[in-house]
PDB file of all heavy atoms in Angstrom:
ATOM      1  N   GLY X   1      37.822   4.711  -2.731  1.00 93.00           N
ATOM      2  CA  GLY X   1      38.477   3.805  -3.668  1.00 93.00           C
ATOM      3  C   GLY X   1      39.879   3.406  -3.224  1.00 93.00           C
ATOM      4  O   GLY X   1      40.211   2.206  -3.222  1.00 93.00           O
ATOM      5  N   PRO X   2      40.746   4.360  -2.836  1.00 93.00           N
ATOM      6  CA  PRO X   2      42.085   3.984  -2.360  1.00 93.00           C
ATOM      7  C   PRO X   2      42.052   3.078  -1.134  1.00 93.00           C
ATOM      8  O   PRO X   2      42.832   2.130  -1.032  1.00 93.00           O
ATOM      9  CB  PRO X   2      42.727   5.333  -2.045  1.00 93.00           C
ATOM     10  CG  PRO X   2      42.052   6.296  -2.956  1.00 93.00           C
ATOM     11  CD  PRO X   2      40.629   5.815  -3.026  1.00 93.00           C
ATOM     12  N   LEU X   3      41.137   3.349  -0.198  1.00 95.00           N
ATOM     13  CA  LEU X   3      41.042   2.486   0.986  1.00 95.00           C
ATOM     14  C   LEU X   3      40.538   1.099   0.604  1.00 95.00           C
ATOM     15  O   LEU X   3      41.009   0.088   1.149  1.00 95.00           O
ATOM     16  CB  LEU X   3      40.118   3.105   2.032  1.00 95.00           C
ATOM     17  CG  LEU X   3      40.602   4.386   2.713  1.00 95.00           C
ATOM     18  CD1 LEU X   3      39.606   4.817   3.782  1.00 95.00           C
ATOM     19  CD2 LEU X   3      41.974   4.219   3.320  1.00 95.00           C
ATOM     20  N   HIS X   4      39.586   1.020  -0.315  1.00 95.00           N
ATOM     21  CA  HIS X   4      39.127  -0.287  -0.796  1.00 95.00           C
ATOM     22  C   HIS X   4      40.305  -1.078  -1.379  1.00 95.00           C
ATOM     23  O   HIS X   4      40.464  -2.280  -1.117  1.00 95.00           O
ATOM     24  CB  HIS X   4      38.059  -0.115  -1.889  1.00 95.00           C
ATOM     25  CG  HIS X   4      36.703   0.243  -1.388  1.00 95.00           C
ATOM     26  ND1 HIS X   4      36.196  -0.190  -0.181  1.00 95.00           N
ATOM     27  CD2 HIS X   4      35.707   1.001  -1.967  1.00 95.00           C
ATOM     28  CE1 HIS X   4      34.968   0.274  -0.025  1.00 95.00           C
ATOM     29  NE2 HIS X   4      34.657   1.002  -1.089  1.00 95.00           N
ATOM     30  N   ALA X   5      41.125  -0.400  -2.181  1.00 94.00           N
ATOM     31  CA  ALA X   5      42.241  -1.081  -2.842  1.00 94.00           C
ATOM     32  C   ALA X   5      43.238  -1.621  -1.838  1.00 94.00           C
ATOM     33  O   ALA X   5      43.708  -2.761  -1.951  1.00 94.00           O
ATOM     34  CB  ALA X   5      42.926  -0.122  -3.818  1.00 94.00           C
ATOM     35  N   VAL X   6      43.580  -0.816  -0.815  1.00 94.00           N
ATOM     36  CA  VAL X   6      44.549  -1.256   0.192  1.00 94.00           C
ATOM     37  C   VAL X   6      43.958  -2.367   1.055  1.00 94.00           C
ATOM     38  O   VAL X   6      44.627  -3.360   1.370  1.00 94.00           O
ATOM     39  CB  VAL X   6      45.001  -0.069   1.060  1.00 94.00           C
ATOM     40  CG1 VAL X   6      45.920  -0.537   2.186  1.00 94.00           C
ATOM     41  CG2 VAL X   6      45.730   0.966   0.195  1.00 94.00           C
ATOM     42  N   ALA X   7      42.680  -2.232   1.434  1.00 94.00           N
ATOM     43  CA  ALA X   7      42.029  -3.269   2.232  1.00 94.00           C
ATOM     44  C   ALA X   7      41.944  -4.579   1.454  1.00 94.00           C
ATOM     45  O   ALA X   7      42.129  -5.669   2.015  1.00 94.00           O
ATOM     46  CB  ALA X   7      40.635  -2.803   2.656  1.00 94.00           C
ATOM     47  N   GLN X   8      41.666  -4.495   0.162  1.00 94.00           N
ATOM     48  CA  GLN X   8      41.593  -5.701  -0.659  1.00 94.00           C
ATOM     49  C   GLN X   8      42.948  -6.390  -0.741  1.00 94.00           C
ATOM     50  O   GLN X   8      43.038  -7.619  -0.667  1.00 94.00           O
ATOM     51  CB  GLN X   8      41.091  -5.343  -2.059  1.00 94.00           C
ATOM     52  CG  GLN X   8      40.852  -6.543  -2.960  1.00 94.00           C
ATOM     53  CD  GLN X   8      39.792  -7.491  -2.398  1.00 94.00           C
ATOM     54  OE1 GLN X   8      38.820  -7.048  -1.785  1.00 94.00           O
ATOM     55  NE2 GLN X   8      39.967  -8.788  -2.602  1.00 94.00           N
ATOM     56  N   LYS X   9      43.997  -5.597  -0.885  1.00 92.00           N
ATOM     57  CA  LYS X   9      45.339  -6.166  -0.934  1.00 92.00           C
ATOM     58  C   LYS X   9      45.674  -6.868   0.371  1.00 92.00           C
ATOM     59  O   LYS X   9      46.283  -7.937   0.385  1.00 92.00           O
ATOM     60  CB  LYS X   9      46.350  -5.056  -1.222  1.00 92.00           C
ATOM     61  CG  LYS X   9      47.769  -5.556  -1.435  1.00 92.00           C
ATOM     62  CD  LYS X   9      48.681  -4.408  -1.853  1.00 92.00           C
ATOM     63  CE  LYS X   9      50.113  -4.911  -2.090  1.00 92.00           C
ATOM     64  NZ  LYS X   9      51.009  -3.807  -2.532  1.00 92.00           N
ATOM     65  N   ARG X  10      45.251  -6.276   1.484  1.00 90.00           N
ATOM     66  CA  ARG X  10      45.473  -6.887   2.796  1.00 90.00           C
ATOM     67  C   ARG X  10      44.705  -8.201   2.899  1.00 90.00           C
ATOM     68  O   ARG X  10      45.236  -9.203   3.395  1.00 90.00           O
ATOM     69  CB  ARG X  10      45.023  -5.936   3.901  1.00 90.00           C
ATOM     70  CG  ARG X  10      45.980  -4.799   4.157  1.00 90.00           C
ATOM     71  CD  ARG X  10      47.187  -5.250   4.938  1.00 90.00           C
ATOM     72  NE  ARG X  10      46.777  -5.708   6.267  1.00 90.00           N
ATOM     73  CZ  ARG X  10      47.454  -6.601   6.987  1.00 90.00           C
ATOM     74  NH1 ARG X  10      48.539  -7.159   6.498  1.00 90.00           N
ATOM     75  NH2 ARG X  10      47.045  -6.950   8.184  1.00 90.00           N
ATOM     76  N   ALA X  11      43.452  -8.200   2.472  1.00 91.00           N
ATOM     77  CA  ALA X  11      42.630  -9.414   2.565  1.00 91.00           C
ATOM     78  C   ALA X  11      43.244 -10.536   1.742  1.00 91.00           C
ATOM     79  O   ALA X  11      43.313 -11.694   2.195  1.00 91.00           O
ATOM     80  CB  ALA X  11      41.203  -9.106   2.098  1.00 91.00           C
ATOM     81  N   GLU X  12      43.695 -10.224   0.544  1.00 91.00           N
ATOM     82  CA  GLU X  12      44.293 -11.247  -0.318  1.00 91.00           C
ATOM     83  C   GLU X  12      45.614 -11.755   0.252  1.00 91.00           C
ATOM     84  O   GLU X  12      45.934 -12.945   0.120  1.00 91.00           O
ATOM     85  CB  GLU X  12      44.494 -10.666  -1.718  1.00 91.00           C
ATOM     86  CG  GLU X  12      43.172 -10.418  -2.447  1.00 91.00           C
ATOM     87  CD  GLU X  12      43.344  -9.626  -3.731  1.00 91.00           C
ATOM     88  OE1 GLU X  12      44.508  -9.279  -4.071  1.00 91.00           O
ATOM     89  OE2 GLU X  12      42.327  -9.346  -4.405  1.00 91.00           O
ATOM     90  N   ALA X  13      46.377 -10.887   0.911  1.00 88.00           N
ATOM     91  CA  ALA X  13      47.633 -11.315   1.535  1.00 88.00           C
ATOM     92  C   ALA X  13      47.371 -12.276   2.693  1.00 88.00           C
ATOM     93  O   ALA X  13      48.080 -13.269   2.881  1.00 88.00           O
ATOM     94  CB  ALA X  13      48.419 -10.099   2.009  1.00 88.00           C
ATOM     95  N   ILE X  14      46.331 -11.971   3.483  1.00 88.00           N
ATOM     96  CA  ILE X  14      45.976 -12.858   4.596  1.00 88.00           C
ATOM     97  C   ILE X  14      45.501 -14.205   4.062  1.00 88.00           C
ATOM     98  O   ILE X  14      45.847 -15.268   4.594  1.00 88.00           O
ATOM     99  CB  ILE X  14      44.895 -12.194   5.480  1.00 88.00           C
ATOM    100  CG1 ILE X  14      45.486 -10.968   6.189  1.00 88.00           C
ATOM    101  CG2 ILE X  14      44.349 -13.187   6.509  1.00 88.00           C
ATOM    102  CD1 ILE X  14      44.447 -10.115   6.887  1.00 88.00           C
ATOM    103  N   GLN X  15      44.708 -14.175   3.002  1.00 90.00           N
ATOM    104  CA  GLN X  15      44.238 -15.420   2.395  1.00 90.00           C
ATOM    105  C   GLN X  15      45.412 -16.254   1.886  1.00 90.00           C
ATOM    106  O   GLN X  15      45.466 -17.474   2.112  1.00 90.00           O
ATOM    107  CB  GLN X  15      43.291 -15.100   1.238  1.00 90.00           C
ATOM    108  CG  GLN X  15      42.795 -16.340   0.489  1.00 90.00           C
ATOM    109  CD  GLN X  15      41.794 -15.986  -0.597  1.00 90.00           C
ATOM    110  OE1 GLN X  15      40.787 -15.348  -0.339  1.00 90.00           O
ATOM    111  NE2 GLN X  15      42.079 -16.399  -1.824  1.00 90.00           N
ATOM    112  N   ALA X  16      46.368 -15.610   1.215  1.00 89.00           N
ATOM    113  CA  ALA X  16      47.539 -16.325   0.696  1.00 89.00           C
ATOM    114  C   ALA X  16      48.402 -16.873   1.820  1.00 89.00           C
ATOM    115  O   ALA X  16      48.971 -17.969   1.710  1.00 89.00           O
ATOM    116  CB  ALA X  16      48.360 -15.396  -0.197  1.00 89.00           C
ATOM    117  N   HIS X  17      48.482 -16.129   2.911  1.00 85.00           N
ATOM    118  CA  HIS X  17      49.262 -16.565   4.073  1.00 85.00           C
ATOM    119  C   HIS X  17      48.608 -17.745   4.779  1.00 85.00           C
ATOM    120  O   HIS X  17      49.286 -18.561   5.415  1.00 85.00           O
ATOM    121  CB  HIS X  17      49.435 -15.386   5.040  1.00 85.00           C
ATOM    122  CG  HIS X  17      50.195 -15.691   6.273  1.00 85.00           C
ATOM    123  ND1 HIS X  17      51.538 -15.991   6.274  1.00 85.00           N
ATOM    124  CD2 HIS X  17      49.799 -15.756   7.585  1.00 85.00           C
ATOM    125  CE1 HIS X  17      51.943 -16.216   7.518  1.00 85.00           C
ATOM    126  NE2 HIS X  17      50.898 -16.084   8.325  1.00 85.00           N
ATOM    127  N   GLY X  18      47.290 -17.820   4.701  1.00 85.00           N
ATOM    128  CA  GLY X  18      46.562 -18.921   5.313  1.00 85.00           C
ATOM    129  C   GLY X  18      46.225 -18.711   6.772  1.00 85.00           C
ATOM    130  O   GLY X  18      45.826 -19.643   7.467  1.00 85.00           O
ATOM    131  N   GLY X  19      46.368 -17.482   7.263  1.00 81.00           N
ATOM    132  CA  GLY X  19      46.053 -17.220   8.668  1.00 81.00           C
ATOM    133  C   GLY X  19      46.116 -15.738   8.969  1.00 81.00           C
ATOM    134  O   GLY X  19      46.671 -14.942   8.202  1.00 81.00           O
ATOM    135  N   LEU X  20      45.524 -15.372  10.087  1.00 73.00           N
ATOM    136  CA  LEU X  20      45.546 -13.984  10.529  1.00 73.00           C
ATOM    137  C   LEU X  20      46.951 -13.600  10.988  1.00 73.00           C
ATOM    138  O   LEU X  20      47.715 -14.454  11.427  1.00 73.00           O
ATOM    139  CB  LEU X  20      44.552 -13.792  11.680  1.00 73.00           C
ATOM    140  CG  LEU X  20      43.093 -14.084  11.332  1.00 73.00           C
ATOM    141  CD1 LEU X  20      42.239 -14.081  12.582  1.00 73.00           C
ATOM    142  CD2 LEU X  20      42.569 -13.070  10.336  1.00 73.00           C
ATOM    143  N   PRO X  21      47.325 -12.315  10.884  1.00 69.00           N
ATOM    144  CA  PRO X  21      48.674 -11.895  11.284  1.00 69.00           C
ATOM    145  C   PRO X  21      48.906 -12.083  12.768  1.00 69.00           C
ATOM    146  O   PRO X  21      48.013 -11.861  13.586  1.00 69.00           O
ATOM    147  CB  PRO X  21      48.700 -10.415  10.897  1.00 69.00           C
ATOM    148  CG  PRO X  21      47.265  -9.998  10.841  1.00 69.00           C
ATOM    149  CD  PRO X  21      46.512 -11.194  10.390  1.00 69.00           C
ATOM    150  N   ASP X  22      50.134 -12.542  13.110  1.00 69.00           N
ATOM    151  CA  ASP X  22      50.471 -12.668  14.523  1.00 69.00           C
ATOM    152  C   ASP X  22      50.977 -11.328  15.038  1.00 69.00           C
ATOM    153  O   ASP X  22      51.042 -10.330  14.328  1.00 69.00           O
ATOM    154  CB  ASP X  22      51.506 -13.782  14.741  1.00 69.00           C
ATOM    155  CG  ASP X  22      52.794 -13.537  13.972  1.00 69.00           C
ATOM    156  OD1 ASP X  22      53.111 -12.371  13.665  1.00 69.00           O
ATOM    157  OD2 ASP X  22      53.489 -14.525  13.660  1.00 69.00           O
ATOM    158  N   GLU X  23      51.371 -11.293  16.306  1.00 65.00           N
ATOM    159  CA  GLU X  23      51.764 -10.036  16.934  1.00 65.00           C
ATOM    160  C   GLU X  23      52.976  -9.417  16.251  1.00 65.00           C
ATOM    161  O   GLU X  23      53.040  -8.200  16.048  1.00 65.00           O
ATOM    162  CB  GLU X  23      52.055 -10.265  18.422  1.00 65.00           C
ATOM    163  CG  GLU X  23      52.347  -8.985  19.189  1.00 65.00           C
ATOM    164  CD  GLU X  23      52.484  -9.224  20.677  1.00 65.00           C
ATOM    165  OE1 GLU X  23      52.186 -10.345  21.135  1.00 65.00           O
ATOM    166  OE2 GLU X  23      52.893  -8.290  21.381  1.00 65.00           O
ATOM    167  N   ALA X  24      53.949 -10.246  15.881  1.00 65.00           N
ATOM    168  CA  ALA X  24      55.147  -9.724  15.225  1.00 65.00           C
ATOM    169  C   ALA X  24      54.801  -9.089  13.887  1.00 65.00           C
ATOM    170  O   ALA X  24      55.304  -8.014  13.537  1.00 65.00           O
ATOM    171  CB  ALA X  24      56.172 -10.835  15.037  1.00 65.00           C
ATOM    172  N   GLU X  25      53.917  -9.731  13.136  1.00 68.00           N
ATOM    173  CA  GLU X  25      53.505  -9.174  11.849  1.00 68.00           C
ATOM    174  C   GLU X  25      52.719  -7.888  12.039  1.00 68.00           C
ATOM    175  O   GLU X  25      52.851  -6.939  11.256  1.00 68.00           O
ATOM    176  CB  GLU X  25      52.659 -10.196  11.089  1.00 68.00           C
ATOM    177  CG  GLU X  25      53.440 -11.415  10.609  1.00 68.00           C
ATOM    178  CD  GLU X  25      52.521 -12.493  10.059  1.00 68.00           C
ATOM    179  OE1 GLU X  25      51.474 -12.757  10.676  1.00 68.00           O
ATOM    180  OE2 GLU X  25      52.862 -13.052   9.023  1.00 68.00           O
ATOM    181  N   ALA X  26      51.927  -7.830  13.095  1.00 62.00           N
ATOM    182  CA  ALA X  26      51.132  -6.636  13.359  1.00 62.00           C
ATOM    183  C   ALA X  26      52.019  -5.430  13.629  1.00 62.00           C
ATOM    184  O   ALA X  26      51.685  -4.300  13.268  1.00 62.00           O
ATOM    185  CB  ALA X  26      50.201  -6.877  14.546  1.00 62.00           C
ATOM    186  N   MET X  27      53.175  -5.662  14.254  1.00 61.00           N
ATOM    187  CA  MET X  27      54.088  -4.559  14.549  1.00 61.00           C
ATOM    188  C   MET X  27      54.657  -3.940  13.281  1.00 61.00           C
ATOM    189  O   MET X  27      55.054  -2.781  13.261  1.00 61.00           O
ATOM    190  CB  MET X  27      55.232  -5.046  15.443  1.00 61.00           C
ATOM    191  CG  MET X  27      54.797  -5.465  16.832  1.00 61.00           C
ATOM    192  SD  MET X  27      54.001  -4.121  17.751  1.00 61.00           S
ATOM    193  CE  MET X  27      55.407  -3.031  17.994  1.00 61.00           C
ATOM    194  N   ASN X  28      54.727  -4.729  12.207  1.00 68.00           N
ATOM    195  CA  ASN X  28      55.231  -4.220  10.937  1.00 68.00           C
ATOM    196  C   ASN X  28      54.136  -3.589  10.081  1.00 68.00           C
ATOM    197  O   ASN X  28      54.402  -3.090   8.991  1.00 68.00           O
ATOM    198  CB  ASN X  28      55.896  -5.350  10.136  1.00 68.00           C
ATOM    199  CG  ASN X  28      57.131  -5.881  10.831  1.00 68.00           C
ATOM    200  OD1 ASN X  28      57.880  -5.127  11.438  1.00 68.00           O
ATOM    201  ND2 ASN X  28      57.349  -7.186  10.732  1.00 68.00           N
ATOM    202  N   LEU X  29      52.914  -3.634  10.583  1.00 69.00           N
ATOM    203  CA  LEU X  29      51.779  -3.205   9.780  1.00 69.00           C
ATOM    204  C   LEU X  29      51.790  -1.705   9.517  1.00 69.00           C
ATOM    205  O   LEU X  29      51.411  -1.247   8.440  1.00 69.00           O
ATOM    206  CB  LEU X  29      50.485  -3.595  10.489  1.00 69.00           C
ATOM    207  CG  LEU X  29      49.178  -3.349   9.726  1.00 69.00           C
ATOM    208  CD1 LEU X  29      49.141  -4.196   8.474  1.00 69.00           C
ATOM    209  CD2 LEU X  29      47.990  -3.661  10.619  1.00 69.00           C
ATOM    210  N   PHE X  30      52.240  -0.937  10.492  1.00 66.00           N
ATOM    211  CA  PHE X  30      52.202   0.520  10.397  1.00 66.00           C
ATOM    212  C   PHE X  30      52.829   1.017   9.098  1.00 66.00           C
ATOM    213  O   PHE X  30      52.197   1.681   8.297  1.00 66.00           O
ATOM    214  CB  PHE X  30      52.913   1.130  11.610  1.00 66.00           C
ATOM    215  CG  PHE X  30      53.172   2.599  11.495  1.00 66.00           C
ATOM    216  CD1 PHE X  30      52.198   3.513  11.840  1.00 66.00           C
ATOM    217  CD2 PHE X  30      54.386   3.063  11.029  1.00 66.00           C
ATOM    218  CE1 PHE X  30      52.440   4.868  11.732  1.00 66.00           C
ATOM    219  CE2 PHE X  30      54.634   4.411  10.921  1.00 66.00           C
ATOM    220  CZ  PHE X  30      53.665   5.315  11.267  1.00 66.00           C
TER     221      PHE X  30
END
C-alpha cells in the first residue's frame, strides 16, 4: 500500500509536468 501511494503520486506528478523527468530531475529523485 505505501509503495502504491508513492508510485501513484509520482505518476500524477509526471502527468502534471507533461513529460518524463530529465537527468537533472532524476538526480533529485533520491
Side-chain angles (χ1 to χ4, degrees):
L3 292 184
H4 283 327
V6 175
Q8 185 61 36
K9 186 174 181 179
R10 284 284 296 153
E12 291 170 1
I14 293 170
Q15 177 177 305
H17 179 68
L20 299 171
D22 59 25
E23 185 174 351
E25 291 171 317
M27 294 300 292
N28 295 323
L29 186 63
F30 169 85

